[in-house]
Amino acid sequence: MKPTNIETLKWTDDQLVLLDQTRLPEQEAYLGIQSLEELIVAIQSLCVRGAPAIGISAAYGMVLAARSITSIQPKTLYMDRLSHLAKQLMAARPTAVNLQWAVEWILSDLECQPQLPIEDIPDHILSKARYLHQDDRDRCDQMARHGQAILPEKARILTHCNTGYLATAGIGTALGVVIHAHTKGQVQQVYADETRPLLQGARLTAWECQKLGIPCTVICDNMAAALMRKGEVDVVLVGADRIAADGAAANKIGTYGLAILAHHHQVPFYVVAPFSTFDSNLAHGDLIPIEMRQPEEVGVIMGTLPVTPHDSSCWNPAFDVTPPELIHGIITERGILRPPYPSSIAQHAAAPMPSKT
Ligand code: MRU
């Protein structure tokens, strides 16, 4: 796919450099991350966000973790310490399974390298993180190609949160489909839900679309029903943070409501996600852990503007779960999965995951 000037994360000058997404769209500022502790804070404060982008950042975070362990011998003790740090990293945010997936992938690769000397471990992990980085780009490109097939000509697409370059290491998941289809002249209009409370749609999706010349109209989350009723939406495309074995998909809070609206208005509702977002260990969606965030994020917009009386009680789950019966299809890098999901997921998951060599 065509490169762009949006650089969400990169490893350079021996550090992880992140585009600080909390400051967009006002400022394009970069953060140099040199320690695991800094990365955990960056993930928790959403400087880096979006399931695949968190996963790839965590893979680089394992380099920082490995480098921080000095003068520990023998190797079994070194590995114990590394797993301890890995657990801290995996606990940074609980819902997006890509975080856990990437860290566990790095650890299991190390288990296959018993002869690797301690001093070579950080560089070895770095080469694996680079591999996962490119692998995520490739998965995004493949999802974008598969997704294009379900869009009508002159598509009017409603999306939620941010699922583009900023949320992955590549072109994106749901927004990646849009970006690719736009290059083929297939996109008439993107509607971006503003995505309260942290405004990923208004701040980030609108910013990306503007940079890429994609027509984008921001709507408040409570306007989607009226828009669908007017017949202005051909399809809803969203990403996912974790997909259970029954096909239920956790995604940014508000996604479930959108799926119900789409069902009522007979608008197709698609989830776009790579297999690194699937969790075959969870039989159904109710088992997906949902991150609860600070109530202040609801009561104060962008950390500065209070919109509720002081000390109001606020509820702030970061994600919700859309049940499989509301999902028309799940667009993955291996093709489009259709219901019944338990069998279509199992069938596509049987293809090999990226090799660790
Ligand atoms: O809290 P965030 O901004 O990390 O939530 C992100 C989302 O919900 C995305 O839709 C999801 O990660 C899929 S994007 C590739």
Side-chain angles (χ1 to χ4, degrees), residues 46 49-52 54 93 160-163 167-168 173 200 239-241 251-252 318-319:
L46 274 53
R49 43 144 305 278
I54 294 171
R93 289 190 78 188
H160 194 65
C161 196
N162 171 266
T163 60
T168 64
T173 57
Q200 288 92 331
D241 289 81
N251 190 50
K252 178 52 57 194
F319 301 97

Side-chain angles (χ1 to χ4, degrees), residues 292-309:
M292 294 303 299
R293 293 186 62 87
Q294 292 303 313
E296 291 75 34
E297 288 179 349
V298 173
V300 181
I301 291 187
M302 296 305 296
T304 53
L305 180 67
V307 289
T308 58

Side-chain angles (χ1 to χ4, degrees), residues 108-302:
S108 79
D109 170 77
L110 284 177
E111 272 167 26
C112 302
Q113 318 286 336
Q115 309 302 335
L116 191 68
I118 288 180
E119 57 275 18
D120 292 347
I121 288 179
D123 281 350
H124 179 84
I125 298 177
L126 180 56
S127 72
K128 298 298 162 181
R130 288 199 159 116
Y131 173 84
L132 288 181
H133 195 151
Q134 182 57 43
D135 172 67
D136 190 59
R137 283 190 197 112
D138 296 343
R139 290 177 195 238
C140 288
D141 288 352
Q142 286 150 15
M143 286 184 282
R145 286 196 191 97
H146 290 302
Q148 195 203 338
I150 60 105
L151 295 183
E153 286 303 317
K154 308 283 165 226
R156 296 160 306 165
I157 302 152
L158 176 57
T159 190
H160 194 65
C161 196
N162 171 266
T163 60
Y165 281 101
L166 294 170
T168 64
I171 188 173
T173 57
L175 198 61
V177 172
V178 174
I179 293 168
H180 177 57
H182 172 70
T183 65
K184 308 284 177 197
Q186 219 174 322
V187 176
Q188 181 177 317
Q189 182 66 46
V190 172
Y191 291 105
D193 269 357
E194 67 172 344
T195 319
R196 276 277 281 150
L198 296 180
L199 305 174
Q200 288 92 331
R203 294 188 303 109
L204 308 179
T205 299
W207 179 82
E208 272 196 48
C209 286
Q210 210 170 69
K211 273 209 170 249
L212 299 164
I214 301 174
C216 175
T217 299
V218 177
I219 61 167
C220 299
D221 298 331
N222 54 8
M223 296 172 184
L227 197 64
M228 287 187 200
R229 177 122 188 129
K230 273 170 66 69
E232 297 289 323
V233 180
D234 299 311
V235 59
V236 178
L237 294 180
V238 297
D241 289 81
R242 192 184 295 231
I243 300 176
D246 65 346
N251 190 50
K252 178 52 57 194
I253 189 76
T255 304
Y256 174 37
L258 210 51
I260 294 171
L261 292 178
H263 180 73
H264 181 79
H265 294 92
Q266 294 173 332
V267 173
F269 179 95
Y270 283 90
V271 171
V272 189
F275 264 83
S276 48
T277 300
F278 285 69
D279 187 349
S280 58
N281 295 319
L282 299 185
H284 58 85
D286 291 341
L287 297 171
I288 298 176
I290 299 295
E291 175 184 5
M292 294 303 299
R293 293 186 62 87
Q294 292 303 313
E296 291 75 34
E297 288 179 349
V298 173
V300 181
I301 291 187
M302 296 305 296

Side-chain angles (χ1 to χ4, degrees), residues 6-7 35 47 72 78 90 97 100 105 137 163 165 178 180-181 186 222 244 253 269 295 302 356:
I6 302 175
E7 224 162 14
S35 70
C47 293
I72 292 193
Y78 179 96
M90 288 190 281
V97 76
Q100 201 181 319
W105 192 89
R137 283 190 197 112
T163 60
Y165 281 101
V178 174
H180 177 57
Q186 219 174 322
N222 54 8
I253 189 76
F269 179 95
M302 296 305 296
K356 296 191 176 77

